[in-house]
Amino acid sequence: MVWIALLLLGLVSLLQSTRRGHAVSVVLDQGGGPRGQTVRLVLDPSVLGRSTSIPGSSIANMSLSPWTYRDSFVASRLPRRISEAHCLTSGCLNLQGGEDAALEAKPVYYQALVFYRVPRPSRSTKAGKKVKKKKYDLRLGTEMIPVGCTCVRPSVVPQL
């Protein structure tokens, strides 16, 4: 489970590093794999260009429900900075460029795995002295991250 979480969390930073031509290595220190070994991870750069042909900001501006990205920063979360989409309109744009109130702009969410850094309880040594170095554990969690916006019909609840 830890292997999968580490792989998913590191993909974004790994992709950015390989685009810049940097070498990427991962240190594995928990789980059932090699303990304390550095493993070289090589990503095929020919695959990187196929993921999208249009940058995300262009798609956000061309959409009938445009959005912008804002950074969310949580010091105890890994990754600390996550970009979140925020819809710019409450309705959707029509072909003339005006806002159509018959449709609603709603965020599209993605459930992402994140780590939370939690302080490790301090242990006493044999002499009764506490360890002064602060240590942390990583707790695996999930967050719902808005990644874009889409147009939907308004939900109408009939009153009886």
Side-chain angles (χ1 to χ4, degrees), residues 1-15 77-80 82 110 112-116 138-143 145:
M1 181 67 134
V2 173
W3 285 75
I4 294 170
L6 286 172
L7 181 64
L8 290 175
L9 287 174
L11 279 180
V12 173
S13 61
L14 293 175
L15 288 173
R77 179 184 66 200
L78 292 174
R80 290 184 174 142
I82 295 177
Y110 174 76
L113 292 173
V114 295
F115 282 117
Y116 293 101
L138 294 176
R139 183 177 48 88
L140 183 62
T142 60
E143 283 196 18
I145 301 169

Side-chain angles (χ1 to χ4, degrees), residues 5-153:
L6 286 172
L7 181 64
L8 290 175
L9 287 174
L11 279 180
V12 173
S13 61
L14 293 175
L15 288 173
Q16 293 292 58
S17 297
T18 56
R19 283 184 184 158
R20 296 184 201 130
H22 294 99
V24 177
S25 58
V26 179
V27 177
L28 305 171
D29 58 358
Q30 290 194 14
R35 188 176 181 104
Q37 293 182 359
T38 300
V39 179
R40 185 169 179 86
L41 179 63
V42 180
L43 298 177
D44 185 3
S46 67
V47 177
L48 297 177
R50 295 184 207 155
S51 62
T52 181
S53 59
I54 301 173
S57 61
S58 295
I59 293 173
N61 291 330
M62 293 185 318
S63 175
L64 296 179
S65 53
W67 67 89
T68 186
Y69 289 104
R70 295 182 193 154
D71 286 342
S72 162
F73 183 84
V74 178
S76 63
R77 179 184 66 200
L78 292 174
R80 290 184 174 142
R81 184 181 61 83
I82 295 177
S83 295
E84 297 179 348
H86 292 274
C87 302
L88 295 176
T89 59
S90 58
C92 295
L93 301 179
N94 57 27
L95 296 178
Q96 291 77 27
E99 193 170 335
D100 184 0
L103 296 171
E104 294 180 358
K106 294 289 183 182
V108 176
Y109 291 95
Y110 174 76
Q111 186 176 15
L113 292 173
V114 295
F115 282 117
Y116 293 101
R117 199 173 76 158
V118 293
R120 182 181 292 173
S122 59
R123 292 188 236 167
S124 301
T125 60
K126 291 182 181 179
K129 297 179 182 177
K130 291 196 173 198
V131 178
K132 294 188 179 189
K133 208 196 267 187
K134 268 199 159 183
K135 294 189 178 184
Y136 295 91
D137 288 328
L138 294 176
R139 183 177 48 88
L140 183 62
T142 60
E143 283 196 18
M144 296 300 289
I145 301 169
V147 294
C149 294
T150 189
C151 288
V152 296
R153 289 181 295 203

